Amino acid sequence: MSEPSFQDDVLHELGDDGLAEIAGLLGTDAGGAREAVGTTVGAMTGDLRQKADVDDDEGQEVRRAVAEVGGAGGAGGAGAPLQGVSTLGGGLGGLLGGSMMAGVLAKVSGPVANAVSKKTGIPVATVSRVVEMLIPVVVAVFAKRAAGKGAGAPSPGTAPAPGAAPSAGGGLGDVLGQILGGGKK
């Protein structure tokens, strides 16, 4: 009846093994890991939504990354499936190669880790590791959701001209909202 939240999709994509790996890193159980993932994903997507709505270089970069994911054929799109939990522990290196969305998420990882650490009391270094593990999963969920949205998603390569203001309706910020869904408010 209702569509799963973006966080639920990330947890599903992460799977039991990925969740267990995060729980081990955090020294908690699956419930604690689920809560930490939810908080982290919420901070990541909230930051992306906020940046997508601003007409500056960061906003343009987020909108281009959303357009790339919306095309689902670019690097890191639906054509690049997650290769299993063993890839999660590999860090940001080659795993993210080429995906603009992964690059955008990597850029927000520091502020996200600081915010989540402040909110949860988990050390920043530990949260940073969780963020690193979640980036490829979040990119995979973005790609799957973008592929499923079809109507209203931008064509590959469609992005606002440099310096162009985000449109009031139907802009890439709206597409980001469609990909993320309503989420938990």
Side-chain angles (χ1 to χ4, degrees), residues 12 28 31 40 45 60 119 141-142 146 177 179:
H12 181 264
T28 189
T40 304
T45 57
Q60 290 175 21
K119 184 175 182 177
V141 172
F142 267 118
I179 292 171

Side-chain angles (χ1 to χ4, degrees), residues 100 115 147 162 174 183:
M100 186 180 287
D174 292 338

Side-chain angles (χ1 to χ4, degrees), residues 15-31:
D16 291 340
D17 290 342
L19 197 59
E21 188 175 343
I22 290 174
L25 181 66
L26 296 174
T28 189
D29 60 7

Side-chain angles (χ1 to χ4, degrees), residues 47-67:
D47 198 35
L48 287 179
R49 284 179 195 243
Q50 185 178 20
K51 288 182 184 317
D53 289 338
V54 178
D55 186 27
D56 62 7
D57 289 342
E58 284 184 327
Q60 290 175 21
E61 183 178 26
V62 170
R63 292 187 297 273
R64 283 191 303 269
V66 171

Side-chain angles (χ1 to χ4, degrees), residues 164-177:
S167 62
L172 288 174
D174 292 338
V175 173
L176 180 61

